[in-house]
Amino acid sequence: MLAGSSDRSRMTFPTAVDLQIEARWVIPVEPQGVVLEAHAVIVEADCIVAILPIAEARQRFAPRERVELGEHALIPGLVNAHTHNPMTLMRGLADDLPFMVWLKEHVWPAEAKVMGPEFVRDGVELAIAEMIRGGTTCCNENYFFPDVQATTYAKHGFRSLIGLPVIEFPTPWAQSRDEYFDKALAVHDELRGEALIGTAFAPHAPYTVANESFERIHLLSDQLDLPVHLHLHETADEINDSLRDFGMRPFARIKQIGLVNERLIAVHMTQLGEAEIHDCAAHGVSIVHNVESNMKLLSGFCPAEAIRRAGVNLAIGTDGCASNNDLDLFGEMRSAALVGKLVANDAAAMSAASVLRAATMGSARALGWQDRIGSIEVGKQADLAAVDLGTIESQPIYNVVSQLIYAAGRHQVSDVWIAGVRKLRNRELTGMDTSEILSKARRWRERIATA
């Protein structure tokens, strides 16, 4: 036997992997508030396979690509739990107006003139670019032409839950109730097996959807195990109109139909009583907080901390750019934390850690994807965002999670991965033609402004 051969036989060689991301801080979100210093996240194909100290990772793994993030926090990709992303092309179209005036006199007439497959495609592309640059890796979409949306999201490898719209009046997408349902089921069937794309029913709101449609959605949601993405209790007028027309509040109406369950994604929820909050907790409802849109349209204040403390799953969304006017979840998280304290009259309400959790794990749970995304855990998809905290605006750092919520901004997102694929590299989008996206946005501006 050659000298040293037995030693060589006992040697272990580093395991080859696709990607090793080394960060000053890794914030897994699950468990809440935990911060791992000087850790690496190991990715093979689209999944996280290990999380461990950097020194140990360098001994155990031989990555094909190593990314060193010296002054960065690595967080789960943010999940925007309520969007109307084609409406990025209406950003700033009708500002400083009350909700119903904004919707009925400006947004709906403008949509009637321009809505179509090209409008949806170009608006979604603009939104994808904006979301990736802001650390968002997944969205819950709610708009027309869901087939075009899905094709566009899939083309750019962006994770999304596509809403199948239902409303009681004709649009360029469908002309009748039956056509809405026929097209919804056709799109759902076409998207079966898509790795990054799912579907949900998206009835617009209780004031635009009849009981017959809600009953049909309830039946199909149960049969197909699909979420129901619904604007609900958005304004005081919605409540008053429902009491006049149905003799009950909207929440009670959909509960009577059977839609108050673990598949319901209830959006806005600014008008809630204590009993309704506890009903949501008891039935597993997810509530999506859209604080900036609610403030801008004077819709009211969602009692987010009361919801969270009651055990309801709390998610965060931006709403559409026609009412917000951005897709900035960092801004949304900061607003949610600050406004949440005022609404609860408690400085400890909506803590930084709980808000970050709402925009990641909470939003993932609302979509039914909590086993895939929303936290940095072994076995989950590698949807990740790196935030550069080595900037003037973020120093000094005493609590990295607080710094992310109260001081950092989307401009500090440097790198993003979706299912292990690099989508943002040193603030530069990969695989997207920025100049063409901007050119299309300007052309739509000219068309909409003169329509």
Side-chain angles (χ1 to χ4, degrees), residues 2 20 31 35-36 44 52 68 92 120 157 171 178 185 219 221 233 244 270 276 297 302 325 367 385 390 399 407:
L2 294 174
Q20 182 165 310
V35 176
L36 305 174
E44 177 65 16
L52 69 174
E68 298 179 28
V120 170
T171 66
D178 284 344
L185 293 173
L219 178 66
S221 172
H233 281 222
R244 180 195 66 211
T270 68
E276 291 165 331
L297 293 174
C302 173
N325 300 31
L367 276 57
N399 181 312

Side-chain angles (χ1 to χ4, degrees), residues 68-383:
E68 298 179 28
L69 303 169
E71 291 296 324
H72 295 64
L74 188 68
I75 64 173
L78 301 175
V79 180
N80 193 335
H82 177 61
T83 62
H84 307 284
N85 278 336
M87 298 178 83
T88 50
L89 296 174
M90 294 183 175
R91 192 194 317 264
L93 177 65
D95 288 339
D96 305 321
L97 295 169
F99 176 69
M100 281 301 178
V101 173
W102 168 83
L103 182 64
K104 293 183 176 181
E105 298 181 21
H106 296 272
V107 171
W108 283 350
E111 286 179 321
K113 294 174 182 176
V114 299
M115 187 197 300
E118 290 185 2
F119 174 83
V120 170
R121 180 201 64 204
D122 293 348
V124 167
E125 278 199 331
L126 179 61
I128 291 170
E130 179 178 354
M131 287 188 293
I132 290 172
R133 283 165 55 88
T136 296
T137 56
C138 175
C139 71
N140 186 24
E141 180 64 89
N142 188 321
Y143 204 70
F144 302 97
F145 292 92
D147 54 340
V148 178
Q149 295 172 43
T151 298
T152 309
Y153 284 116
K155 172 186 174 182
H156 294 288
F158 193 93
R159 195 182 303 276
S160 55
L161 187 67
I162 303 295
L164 306 171
V166 176
I167 200 165
E168 299 298 336
F169 52 78
T171 66
W173 168 243
Q175 296 295 301
S176 67
R177 178 184 296 160
D178 284 344
E179 188 177 6
Y180 279 107
F181 279 99
D182 290 346
K183 285 190 166 184
L185 293 173
V187 171
H188 170 71
D189 287 341
E190 288 171 10
L191 295 177
R192 287 176 187 268
E194 284 284 345
L196 298 179
I197 310 293
T199 55
F201 282 106
H204 175 257
Y207 54 88
T208 55
V209 178
N211 281 354
E212 292 84 352
S213 292
F214 277 133
E215 288 164 359
R216 195 166 172 183
I217 287 167
H218 177 222
L219 178 66
L220 290 168
S221 172
D222 282 354
Q223 289 177 347
L224 301 173
D225 192 24
L226 291 186
V228 176
H229 180 182
L230 173 69
H231 300 90
L232 185 63
H233 281 222
E234 185 169 0
T235 66
D237 285 344
E238 176 189 334
I239 308 300
N240 295 332
D241 290 348
S242 182
L243 289 170
R244 180 195 66 211
D245 297 338
F246 297 96
M248 65 183 77
R249 290 161 66 86
F251 184 84
R253 180 178 154 218
I254 67 161
K255 182 182 178 185
Q256 191 176 74
I257 292 168
L259 284 170
V260 174
N261 58 40
E262 71 281 356
R263 287 185 290 275
L264 179 60
I265 306 169
V267 182
H268 295 295
M269 297 292 261
T270 68
Q271 316 290 318
L272 283 178
E274 186 175 344
E276 291 165 331
I277 292 173
H278 288 295
D279 250 357
C280 287
H283 290 89
V285 173
S286 290
I287 292 177
V288 184
H289 189 23
N290 301 266
V291 59
E292 292 185 358
S293 175
N294 292 342
M295 288 192 293
K296 184 165 182 277
L297 293 174
L298 201 62
S299 298
F301 293 106
C302 173
E305 180 66 6
I307 287 166
R308 195 185 68 81
R309 287 180 180 173
V312 181
N313 180 54
L314 182 67
I316 291 182
T318 59
D319 211 344
C321 281
S323 66
N324 186 324
N325 300 31
D326 57 41
L327 303 174
D328 179 7
L329 275 175
F330 276 91
E332 207 74 32
M333 288 191 291
R334 185 170 189 264
S335 294
L338 297 176
V339 173
K341 298 175 194 308
L342 288 173
V343 172
N345 195 30
D346 181 359
M350 296 296 284
S351 68
S354 68
V355 169
L356 179 60
R357 190 182 194 285
T360 51
M361 194 63 179
S363 290
R365 184 175 296 279
L367 276 57
W369 288 349
Q370 67 272 19
D371 293 333
R372 302 184 205 177
I373 58 172
S375 60
I376 302 177
E377 296 183 77
V378 171
K380 284 199 170 183
Q381 294 271 287
D383 288 14

Side-chain angles (χ1 to χ4, degrees), residues 371-444:
D371 293 333
R372 302 184 205 177
I373 58 172
S375 60
I376 302 177
E377 296 183 77
V378 171
K380 284 199 170 183
Q381 294 271 287
D383 288 14
L384 304 163
V387 187
D388 183 2
L389 298 179
T391 63
I392 289 290
E393 297 86 352
S394 300
Q395 294 293 320
I397 296 174
Y398 301 104
N399 181 312
V400 65
V401 177
S402 290
Q403 211 76 343
L404 284 169
I405 302 305
Y406 296 116
R410 62 176 172 175
H411 63 282
Q412 290 168 251
V413 175
S414 63
D415 299 87
V416 170
W417 294 262
I418 299 177
V421 177
R422 192 86 162 263
K423 297 297 180 180
L424 190 71
R425 184 188 301 270
N426 298 323
R427 289 293 296 158
E428 293 294 327
L429 290 163
T430 65
M432 298 194 81
D433 187 338
T434 304
S435 61
E436 179 61 19
I437 290 170
L438 290 171
S439 177
K440 288 178 181 178
R442 293 183 185 114
R443 290 199 295 270
W444 279 109

